[in-house]
Amino acid sequence: MKDRYILTEFARVINSDRYQYTESDIFLMENMQDKEAVFDVFFRKTEDGGFAVVSGIQEVIHLIEILNNTSEEEKRKYFSAILEEEHLVDFLSKIKFTGNLYAMRDGEIVYPNEPIITIKAPLIEAKILETPILNIINMNMAIATKASMVTRAAEPVKVLSFGSRRAHGFDSAVEGNKAAVIGGCYGHSNLMTEYKYGIPAHGTMSHSYIQAFGVGAEAEKIAFTTFINNRRDREKNSLILLIDTYDTINIGIENAIKSFKECGIDNSYKGIYGIRLDSGDLAYQSKKCRKRLDEEGFTKAVITLTNSLDEKLIRSLKEQGACVDMYGVGDAIAVSKSYPCFGGVYKIVELDEKPLIKISGDVIKISNPGFKEVYRIYDSEGVAYADLITLVNSDKDKEKLLNYKELSIRDEKYEFKSSLLKENNYTYKKLTRLYIEQGEIKQELYEELFDILNSQKYYLESLEKLSIERKRLENPHNYKVDLSSDLIKLKYDLIKEAKNI
C-alpha cells in the first residue's frame, strides 16, 4: 500500500472519475470502441460577463504525450489495481491516443460556448481524457482569467503573482503562477515555476526575517542593512524593504531611509530598490511614504503594495491616489478567490459523423452540435468585431468568410439582432489550431507553448484589439459570438428531432 503514494506521471492520465471507465467498459463490451467521437471543451459564463484567457493547452498536450509514452507494463500496473474487469484492463494497457486534438493557443481571448479544445478520436480514447483535461483547463483558465481582471484594474501599474502558499496544491502553485503570467502578471514568486517555465521568480522579505533580528526599531534597522549589504550585488534580487512590522510611518519608513543612506543606495543604484507595505491604510501610508522618500532624494525608490488585494481594492486604491509602482496579489489570483470554479465542461458533439446535442430546460446548458471551429472577425480598423463558430465541413458562411464575401451574422436567440459585413471590408483569423494529428504531436506548435512570455505577449496584443467598452470589468459591452447559419439550422433541427416536433 505504501508504494501507491509514489506515483509516476501516468497517474495524471487516470486522475479521473470512475464513471468514465464504467462507460468505457460498456463501450468495449458493445464493440463501440472504434466509433469516432468528437468532444468539445468550453465554458458557459465568466465572473464579470466578459471574456476568459486560455491557459493549460501545453499541459493537456503533455498529458497525451504521457499516455502515448507510458509502457504497457506500467499502464497495466495502474489499471489492474483499480479496475476489476480484466478485458478492460487488457484494452487500456495497450491504449494510445490516435486521434486529433484541436485547440486555441495559450493566451487566446475566448468567450462562452466557444470550443477551446476539440478532441476527435476513437470513443474510449476520448472518453477517458475527460476529467484529466478538465482538471487542467479549469484551474489554468480560472487563474489566467482572474489575473487578466486584476492586471486590467491595475493598469498601468504592474502586478506580481504572490499566491503560491494559498494555492490548492503543488500543480496549482506551479502551473497557476504560469497561468497568472499568461493572464498579464509581470511576474511571480514561485521557484518551481521559474525552474519549469524559465520565468524568473521575484521576492522581497517577510516579517519573520525582520523578527529574527529582534524586536523594535533598532532590530528592524539591522535587518534592513544586513539585507542590503548581502543582496545589493546579486543580479536577481531587488532591494525592497518590508516596513510595516512595527510602525510603518514612525519607524519603518525612517529605518528604510537610514538604511539606504548608510549602505550607499540612491538613485544611481542600477537595480530596483524601495519599500513594501503589507497592512493598514495602504492609500494613506503610500502617500506619506512617497513624500518622505522624495524629500530624502529617493525619487526612484519604488513602492510595492500587498495585503489581500484584488481588482476591486486595486481600483479603489487608484481612485484614492495611492502612490504605487507595483502590486503583489496573492490568493485573489492563486485560487481565483471570488470565482474559484471556472466551470469548463467536456461534451460529446458528434459520433461517427452524426451530430449530437444535449438539451436542457436551462437554455444555457443546450450544447452546440457538430464538429466545429472558431474564427475571429476584425473590422476595417483592426478591432475585434465578432467571433463566428462554424461547422468544419460544408458551411456556407465559412466559405463566404474565407473569401471575404458579404456576410450576415446574427444572434441565434434574437433574429432581429444581425450585422452585415460588407465584401472585402473585414479581416479574420482562425482561432482553432491542430496540435495533434492521428496521435502525432505537431512539435513546432507544441514547443511554441513553452515560451510563456510569448503567450503573454500574444494575450496582450489580442487585448489591444478589443474595444475599451469590451475590456471594462463591470458590465462589459456584449461581444458578438455567433453561430453560422448552417450550425443554427443543425442545432434547431436536432432539437426538433429530439422532441419529435
Side-chain angles (χ1 to χ4, degrees):
M1 185 66 182
K2 189 177 179 181
D3 291 343
R4 295 190 185 181
Y5 284 94
I6 303 170
L7 302 175
T8 66
E9 274 205 300
F10 184 66
R12 295 178 183 274
V13 177
I14 347 176
N15 178 24
S16 192
D17 293 299
R18 182 166 288 276
Y19 77 84
Q20 286 147 34
Y21 287 90
T22 301
E23 293 174 6
S24 294
D25 181 45
I26 295 170
F27 295 149
L28 187 60
M29 295 296 289
E30 294 296 319
N31 201 31
M32 297 171 66
Q33 68 272 17
D34 293 327
K35 287 180 175 289
E36 188 173 61
V38 178
F39 283 83
D40 284 343
V41 175
F42 60 95
F43 64 95
R44 297 185 178 111
K45 60 182 179 179
T46 58
E47 178 178 359
D48 64 345
F51 61 81
V53 180
V54 176
S55 178
I57 303 303
Q58 178 255 313
E59 287 80 6
V60 168
I61 296 171
H62 181 55
L63 180 80
I64 292 173
E65 191 175 38
I66 293 168
L67 173 62
N68 286 356
N69 292 340
T70 302
S71 69
E72 180 179 335
E73 180 183 9
E74 186 168 343
K75 289 174 185 172
R76 184 176 296 278
K77 179 186 78 172
Y78 279 93
F79 287 127
S80 61
I82 55 178
L83 299 173
E84 59 184 21
E85 302 89 352
E86 290 186 16
H87 57 279
L88 182 59
V89 171
D90 287 341
F91 177 83
L92 293 172
S93 297
K94 299 179 179 66
I95 197 169
K96 289 182 182 291
F97 183 81
T98 61
N100 295 357
L101 182 145
Y102 306 82
M104 296 184 185
R105 59 165 294 168
D106 283 344
E108 191 66 79
I109 287 172
V110 61
Y111 290 89
N113 298 310
E114 296 184 331
I116 301 161
I117 296 174
T118 296
I119 298 286
K120 186 177 186 181
L123 183 55
I124 294 178
E125 291 178 26
K127 187 65 189 175
I128 65 172
L129 291 173
E130 178 175 351
T131 295
I133 286 178
L134 288 178
N135 181 246
I136 292 168
I137 290 298
N138 278 324
M139 182 272 287
N140 269 270
M141 289 192 61
I143 295 174
T145 302
K146 190 63 172 181
S148 169
M149 296 174 67
V150 171
T151 54
R152 279 181 282 145
E155 194 178 20
V157 178
K158 294 176 180 177
V159 175
L160 289 170
S161 174
F162 278 176
S164 294
R165 63 190 61 193
R166 304 290 171 79
H168 294 160
F170 177 84
D171 285 341
S172 180
V174 178
E175 291 176 23
N177 277 296
K178 177 266 306 183
V181 170
I182 289 175
C185 283
Y186 171 72
H188 65 95
S189 62
N190 188 277
L191 285 178
M192 188 50 65
T193 302
E194 176 174 337
Y195 176 82
K196 183 175 181 179
Y197 298 104
I199 317 165
H202 299 263
T204 57
M205 63 173 60
S206 67
H207 294 105
S208 63
Y209 165 78
I210 294 164
Q211 291 169 295
F213 289 85
V215 176
E218 187 57 32
E220 182 183 63
K221 181 173 176 295
I222 293 171
F224 287 169
T225 55
T226 303
F227 185 88
I228 294 170
N229 286 330
N230 278 278
R231 307 308 296 178
R232 63 189 301 160
D233 298 323
R234 305 294 179 92
E235 185 178 339
K236 285 189 176 183
N237 284 80
S238 54
L239 304 179
I240 305 296
L241 308 180
L242 178 59
I243 66 169
D244 72 331
T245 304
Y246 300 116
D247 185 326
T248 300
I249 301 301
N250 296 309
I251 298 176
I253 185 62
E254 299 305 324
N255 270 335
I257 288 169
K258 290 175 188 175
S259 297
F260 287 140
K261 287 183 175 180
E262 185 177 313
C263 297
I265 303 298
D266 54 28
N267 285 348
S268 65
Y269 180 63
K270 293 181 180 180
I272 298 172
Y273 78 101
I275 61 170
R276 175 162 75 97
L277 303 174
D278 188 51
S279 61
D281 189 327
L282 296 181
Y284 171 78
Q285 290 180 153
S286 69
K287 286 184 271 190
K288 295 284 283 187
C289 289
R290 181 77 271 163
K291 184 173 183 294
R292 283 295 294 125
L293 289 167
D294 290 351
E295 286 172 348
E296 298 294 336
F298 298 113
T299 55
K300 291 186 178 180
V302 302
I303 297 177
T304 299
L305 301 184
T306 56
N307 188 24
S308 299
L309 298 178
D310 60 15
E311 68 274 17
K312 293 177 183 176
L313 287 171
I314 286 173
R315 190 161 50 189
S316 175
L317 288 168
K318 186 185 292 188
E319 291 169 353
Q320 296 172 70
C323 295
V324 55
D325 301 284
M326 186 84 71
Y327 291 107
V329 180
D331 48 11
I333 290 176
V335 297
S336 186
K337 192 172 183 179
S338 54
Y339 197 71
C341 181
F342 186 70
V345 295
Y346 187 95
K347 299 297 180 185
I348 191 167
V349 294
E350 185 175 284
L351 188 66
D352 276 352
E353 299 186 351
K354 180 181 179 181
L356 302 173
I357 190 169
K358 177 186 180 294
I359 300 174
S360 171
D362 189 350
V363 174
I364 198 174
K365 288 193 171 185
I366 299 176
S367 62
N368 292 322
F371 182 26
K372 302 175 294 295
E373 55 195 8
V374 186
Y375 292 85
R376 181 151 296 154
I377 301 170
Y378 301 88
D379 65 19
S380 57
E381 296 180 352
V383 176
Y385 179 75
D387 285 2
L388 184 64
I389 306 174
T390 73
L391 295 167
V392 172
N393 302 312
S394 185
D395 190 297
K396 298 184 191 70
D397 284 347
K398 185 175 80 169
E399 289 305 311
K400 291 179 183 177
L401 179 74
L402 297 181
N403 291 287
Y404 302 99
K405 299 295 184 182
E406 184 174 274
L407 178 64
S408 178
I409 57 176
R410 65 178 178 84
D411 190 309
E412 63 164 310
K413 296 183 288 294
Y414 304 101
E415 296 253 359
F416 59 88
K417 284 189 175 182
S418 63
S419 301
L420 184 66
L421 298 168
K422 295 183 179 179
E423 186 172 357
N424 294 321
N425 201 35
Y426 61 87
T427 58
Y428 69 86
K429 176 171 64 177
K430 184 178 179 180
L431 305 187
T432 306
R433 310 169 92 190
L434 177 60
Y435 281 98
I436 300 178
E437 185 174 20
Q438 296 181 351
E440 296 295 322
I441 296 171
K442 304 277 189 180
Q443 286 298 327
E444 186 176 343
L445 292 180
Y446 182 37
E447 289 170 10
E448 180 184 53
L449 296 173
F450 285 87
D451 188 342
I452 310 304
L453 294 180
N454 185 54
S455 294
Q456 182 197 65
K457 179 173 178 284
Y458 180 84
Y459 155 71
L460 293 173
E461 289 173 348
S462 299
L463 192 63
E464 284 297 308
K465 294 174 183 176
L466 291 183
S467 66
I468 294 173
E469 296 82 7
R470 287 170 174 146
K471 289 187 283 190
R472 65 188 179 217
L473 297 176
E474 289 184 359
N475 300 315
H477 187 71
N478 183 54
Y479 182 82
K480 300 179 183 68
V481 178
D482 294 331
L483 309 184
S484 70
S485 299
D486 287 344
L487 179 51
I488 291 175
K489 183 178 184 305
L490 173 63
K491 182 175 183 176
Y492 284 91
D493 284 349
L494 287 175
I495 291 172
K496 290 176 183 177
E497 179 183 335
K499 292 184 173 291
N500 294 315
I501 297 174

